C-alpha cells in the first residue's frame, strides 16, 4: 500500500531550491552564514545539530557551531548571542533546544535579533505569524508540515484539521499557520491537549490529523476516519533492552494499524524530520536575502498571503 508522504524526497526538492538561492547570493559576493549554539551534551541535540551542519555545508551555507558546557550561565549565553547578533557574517542564529534548566529559554530566544531568528521563536516573529505578516520567520517544524501537505496536494481550503499538542515549537504555531486566510490554508483547526475531554471524537471528524503530543503511539486506528491524512511529528525515545543501542524511537502514531485507513500518512522516520532541516536552511537563505535587500519570491512567505 503506497500512501506514504515521502518527506525525504520533498525535503530534497526544497534543498535544491535553497541551493539555487544560495548560489545566487554567492554570485553577488554574499556568503550566507548560520550560527548554531548548543549548550550541554544532550545526545539528541548533538545528533540534530550535526545533521543541520552537514546539510548547511552541502548547500554552501557557512555554518559555525559553538558548544558551551552545561554549567554555562544565562549571562554568558546572552553575551555570545549579542556577539552573533553583531556579526555581519552571521545571517541566521539557532540556539538548540532544550536548554539547561537554569537558563530561561524565553529570555534567550528574545535576545536573538528577529531578523536573524531562523527558528521563528522570537516573540516578534511569533506575533507576526499571528497577524499574518509575511515579513517574519515561521518555525521550521510546523512550516515543514505545512509544506508537506501543500506539496502533496492535500486539500486544505475548508478542511477540518486536528492538531494534537499545544507546545510552542509545534502545536501552537501549526494551528496559527493553518487558520491563515489564504488559499494554502483556510482550515478549521481544533487544537487538542491534555485537558481535552474526548480527543478521539475530535480526531474522528478530522480530514487531517497532526500528532505532536509527545506520547508514544497515541493515535490509534479507532481514532481515525477512513481517508484521513495523518502527519506524525512525534519523536519518543523508549528503552528497549532487546536492541543494541538500548533505545528505540517511536512516533505519536500507531503506524501499523493507522496506515491502512489513511489516504496519506507520513512514515517516521522519513516524514517530518527531514522537512525541519529543509525549512531551517530555506529560512537561512531568506535571512541572508533580506539582510542584503534581495527580493526573492521564496523570501516573502506566500503561505501567509491571500
Ligand atoms: N529542538 C527541537 N526542535 C527544535 C527546533 O526546531 N529548533 C531548535 N532551536 N531546537 C529544537
Amino acid at each position: 500500500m503506497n500512501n506514504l508522504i515521502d518527506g525525504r524526497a520533498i525535503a530534497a526538492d526544497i534543498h535544491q531550491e535553497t541551493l539555487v538561492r544560495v548560489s545566487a547570493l554567492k554570485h553577488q559576493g554574499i556568503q550566507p552564514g548560520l550560527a548554531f549554539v548548543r549548550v550541554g551534551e544532550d545526545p539528541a541535540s548533538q545528533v540534530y545539530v550535526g545533521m543541520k551542519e552537514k546539510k548547511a555545508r552541502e548547500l554552501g551555507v557557512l555554518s559555525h557551531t559553538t558548544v558551551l558546557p552545561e554549567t554555562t550561565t544565562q549571562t554568558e549565553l546572552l553575551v555570545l548571542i549579542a556577539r552573533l547578533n553583531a556579526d555581519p557574517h552571521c545571517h541566521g542564529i539557532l540556539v538548540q533546544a532544550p536548554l539547561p534548566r537554569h537558563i530561561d529559554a524565553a529570555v534567550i530566544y528574545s535576545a536573538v535579533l528577529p531578523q536573524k531568528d531562523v527558528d521563528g521563536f522570537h516573540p516578534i516573529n511569533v506575533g507576526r505569524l499571528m497577524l499574518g505578516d509575511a515579513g517574519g520567520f515561521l518555525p521550521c517544524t510546523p512550516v515543514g508540515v505545512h509544506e508537506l501537505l501543500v506539496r502533496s496536494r492535500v486539500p486544505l481550503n475548508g478542511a477540518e484539521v486536528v492538531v494534537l499538542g499545544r507546545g510552542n515549537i509545534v502545536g501552537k504555531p501549526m494551528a496559527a499557520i493553518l487558520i491563515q486566510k489564504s488559499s494554502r490554508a483556510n482550515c478549521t483547526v481544533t487544537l487538542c491537549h491534555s485537558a481535552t475531554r474526548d480527543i478521539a471524537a475530535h480526531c474522528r471528524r478530522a480530514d487531517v490529523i497532526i500528532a505532536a503530543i509527545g506520547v508514544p503511539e497515541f493515535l490509534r486506528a479507532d481514532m481515525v476516519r477512513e481517508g484521513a491524512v495523518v502527519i506524525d511529528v512525534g519523536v519518543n525515545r523508549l528503552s528497549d533492552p532487546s536492541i543494541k543501542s538500548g533505545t528505540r524511537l517511536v512516533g505519536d502514531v500507531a503506524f501499523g494499524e493507522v496506515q491502512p485507513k489513511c489516504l496519506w500518512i507520513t512514515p517516521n522516520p522519513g516524514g517530518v524530520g527531514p522537512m525541519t532541516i529543509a525549512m531551517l536552511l530555506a529560512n537561512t537563505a531568506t535571512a541572508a536575502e533580506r539582510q542584503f535587500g534581495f527580493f526573492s519570491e521564496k523570501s516573502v512567505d506566500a503561505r501567509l498571503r491571500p
Side-chain angles (χ1 to χ4, degrees):
M1 177 173 200
N2 193 5
N3 58 355
L4 297 180
I5 296 179
D6 186 345
R8 291 194 181 108
I10 296 174
D13 290 344
I14 294 169
H15 287 309
Q16 193 52 43
E17 294 164 17
T18 304
L19 181 64
V20 170
R21 298 168 66 194
V22 170
S23 304
L25 284 162
K26 286 180 158 178
H27 207 67
Q28 301 285 324
I30 299 160
Q31 168 62 66
L34 174 58
F36 296 105
V37 180
R38 189 159 65 67
V39 186
E41 297 304 327
D42 176 62
S45 293
Q46 289 178 17
V47 173
Y48 291 144
V49 173
M51 291 194 301
K52 292 171 187 176
E53 281 175 321
K54 177 167 175 280
K55 194 47 86 172
R57 218 168 21 247
E58 284 172 24
L59 297 184
V61 171
L62 196 65
S63 76
H64 181 266
T65 303
T66 307
V67 181
L68 298 172
E70 183 82 23
T71 50
T72 302
T73 65
Q74 183 162 303
T75 306
E76 286 165 338
L77 184 51
L78 288 170
V79 168
L80 171 63
I81 290 172
R83 190 163 63 66
L84 296 171
N85 281 342
D87 181 349
H89 302 294
C90 160
H91 308 106
I93 301 171
L94 181 143
V95 183
Q96 184 69 22
L99 289 168
R101 291 162 68 90
H102 64 273
I103 293 178
D104 183 342
V107 171
I108 298 304
Y109 290 119
S110 301
V112 174
L113 268 186
Q115 60 268 37
K116 295 191 178 186
D117 172 36
V118 287
D119 249 335
F121 290 172
H122 190 288
I124 292 247
N125 287 323
V126 176
R128 284 179 173 144
L129 163 58
M130 291 310 293
L131 295 169
D133 171 352
F137 288 101
L138 299 175
C140 305
T141 301
V143 86
V145 170
H146 184 239
E147 204 61 40
L148 275 184
L149 294 169
V150 169
R151 293 189 189 225
S152 305
R153 301 188 201 289
V154 173
L156 292 177
N157 206 330
E160 296 275 345
V161 180
V162 163
V163 177
L164 300 174
R166 57 176 154 187
N168 288 334
I169 293 185
V170 186
K172 277 191 224 171
M174 188 78 250
I177 291 168
L178 292 171
I179 59 171
Q180 293 298 324
K181 190 164 182 147
S182 156
S183 57
R184 302 170 79 201
N186 276 340
C187 303
T188 302
V189 177
T190 306
L191 189 59
C192 296
H193 48 75
S194 52
T196 301
R197 232 177 290 137
D198 188 350
I199 291 187
H202 289 292
C203 289
R204 278 192 287 268
R205 282 193 297 103
D207 302 306
V208 179
I209 303 173
I210 299 165
I213 203 166
V215 178
E217 301 187 331
F218 177 85
L219 191 75
R220 316 293 310 202
D222 63 353
M223 300 164 76
V224 179
R225 71 161 179 76
E226 269 319 312
V229 174
V230 170
I231 308 289
D232 187 359
V233 186
V235 184
N236 307 291
R237 200 171 289 274
L238 298 187
S239 75
D240 183 346
S242 75
I243 51 177
K244 210 169 123 196
S245 66
T247 61
R248 71 191 159 93
L249 292 177
V250 182
D252 289 355
V253 175
F255 183 86
E257 62 180 64
V258 171
Q259 183 192 17
K261 298 186 84 172
C262 293
L263 178 62
W264 294 110
I265 184 168
T266 55
N268 190 350
V272 174
M275 293 300 290
T276 299
I277 300 179
M279 301 322 287
L280 168 69
L281 291 157
N283 276 352
T284 303
T286 300
E289 286 165 357
R290 286 181 181 158
Q291 285 165 49
F292 288 94
F294 267 53
F295 190 84
S296 126
E297 248 314 293
K298 297 279 176 192
S299 71
V300 174
D301 212 299
R303 81 195 69 238
L304 296 184
R305 285 185 290 162

